[in-house]
Amino acid sequence: MKRGLILLVAVALSACASSRPRAPQDDHASLGRAPVVDASAMDSQRDIVLAVANPIDPPATHAGSSLLGYAPSKHYGAGQRAAATLAALKQSYGLHEITGWPIKALDVYCVVVKTPPGMARDALLKALAKDDRVQLAQPLHDYAVYADKPQDAHQDNDPYASLQRGFVETDAALAHDFSEGNGVHVAIVDTGVDTTHPDLLGRIHDMHNMVDDDAAAFNRDGHGTEVAGVIAADGDNHRGIVGIAPKATLSIYKACWYPAALHAGARCNSFTLAKALAAIIDTDTRIINLSLGGPADPLLSQLLARILEQGRIVVAAMPPDGNADGFPIDAPGVLVVRVGGTSAAAPGVLSAPGIDILTTQPDGGYDFTSGSSMAAPHVSGIVALLLALSPRLDARTAHDLLLRSSKVSNGKLQVNAAAAVAALRETQKAAP
């Protein structure tokens, strides 16, 4: 396929956004619900996530719809036992519920509660941990994305030489002779995405806002838009860039938001990430991209373990400090990705392009950005290419194949789309 023209016109087309179709779907709009809680207003220094047993299944839902919507009932999705337990716990400890939601996959009902005034949160957590009525009690943790602020393309000494560096370094154009990720479903858990971007219009299947009701903010979010473009920007459409897997289908789960402070990176918390992961469990998505991370979290670990048990492939970004102790990279089976460099990676860690990556931006734009947040979607895109050829490919096989087919490019040992596809095809030929 002819990529040259597509690459050369990327910056020139940054202002060429055309029609603006539908806004992101509101998971709660059809539920007749009470106002959605703004997750960005929660206090990670004081708030607690509390779970109680919920043996009564919540109302049936369909794949692609939200398991976690709100209805006028105070305990939407909570069975009689869960509702009674929560009422008793609130009275015993003086708790104020901010919001609650069922997690069907774990048979629990979760609430975010405020620590009562005058009480230390750690003391409350210790008391709740000893209470037999409580399945889980933990702090509301904060999480962050791993990307630097986009650079001004015009400040690059040779912007055309830098266009789609990751696409070139992974030999993705050669891989596209055999696979473009057709039919592979990828979930992006991140900020919102510019769903009207001309390079993403044909790729996004469904959107879910786990943070608030602000559809306009959803489309203005930068980080998720960047990740989506690396994975699946449309190819051969005579505009912009092309993704690693331009025929893959994307589901967007907004679990992160931008704080009001200028130049602050996007943030997420235990509440929003748990909602996103629980919703994914009820879908057919094969790949989950998590270009974010933070501290270990019991609830998120349980949900991630369930996702991995289902045979899905989770791709996660390595923190900038290289610490592998937190969520989500501490879960066995997760494909951990760092920015490719001249130093050796930790055993089992994949390396991918992550410096000066040209990708999609809100308002139909394009710009360069860096960080392991950009390295991870390169791997998600390559895995989509592989799954299109071998739908039953599992995470361990995909990881080992990517590791052994990595090649040196510009002095860096990195994953290589063409080599990975070739290795998989050779394996398929050799199979009886």
Side-chain angles (χ1 to χ4, degrees), residues 159-374:
Y160 293 110
S162 299
L163 290 178
Q164 289 213 268
R165 180 171 297 176
F167 187 87
V168 173
E169 290 183 1
T170 61
D171 293 325
L174 297 175
H176 288 180
D177 289 338
F178 304 99
S179 174
E180 293 189 343
N182 301 58
V184 178
H185 192 176
V186 183
I188 297 175
V189 179
D190 211 286
T191 67
V193 170
D194 180 2
T195 60
T196 65
H197 195 293
D199 251 339
L200 298 174
L201 278 174
R203 306 274 46 91
I204 298 175
H205 178 266
D206 52 282
M207 296 79 70
H208 310 267
N209 192 342
M210 306 304 186
V211 174
D212 52 35
D213 262 348
D214 193 340
F218 193 107
N219 274 2
R220 291 194 303 266
D221 285 347
H223 193 267
T225 303
E226 294 163 3
V227 170
V230 172
I231 296 174
D234 265 331
D236 294 328
N237 61 351
H238 303 291
R239 67 176 78 222
I241 63 171
V242 58
I244 300 295
K247 298 298 183 186
T249 298
L250 302 179
S251 291
I252 311 301
Y253 294 84
K254 177 172 179 172
C256 308
W257 64 90
Y258 287 94
L262 288 176
H263 309 304
R267 313 294 296 182
C268 334
N269 65 26
S270 304
F271 165 70
T272 56
L273 290 171
K275 289 178 70 181
L277 294 179
I280 288 170
I281 288 173
D282 197 43
T283 71
D284 63 355
T285 193
R286 288 299 316 279
I287 303 167
I288 298 96
N289 189 94
L290 296 170
S291 288
L292 52 87
D297 186 286
L299 177 59
L300 297 182
S301 294
Q302 289 183 48
L303 288 166
L304 189 55
R306 184 63 56 88
I307 283 172
L308 292 166
E309 288 169 3
Q310 293 176 329
R312 306 171 197 264
I313 300 175
V314 178
V315 180
M318 173 72 80
D321 62 5
N323 186 348
D325 294 334
F327 172 87
I329 64 172
D330 59 356
V334 170
L335 277 60
V336 181
V337 188
R338 68 159 196 165
V339 176
T342 54
S343 60
V349 174
L350 300 168
S351 297
I355 303 296
D356 293 333
I357 302 302
L358 179 67
T359 186
T360 45
Q361 298 290 338
D363 297 322
Y366 302 86
D367 209 337
F368 296 92
T369 189
S370 301
S372 59
S373 277
M374 298 301 106

Side-chain angles (χ1 to χ4, degrees), residues 390 393 397 401 404 419-432:
S390 179
L393 190 70
T397 302
L401 193 156
R404 73 171 185 266
V421 167
L424 177 61
R425 294 180 74 239
E426 286 300 318
T427 301
Q428 291 175 324
K429 289 178 183 177

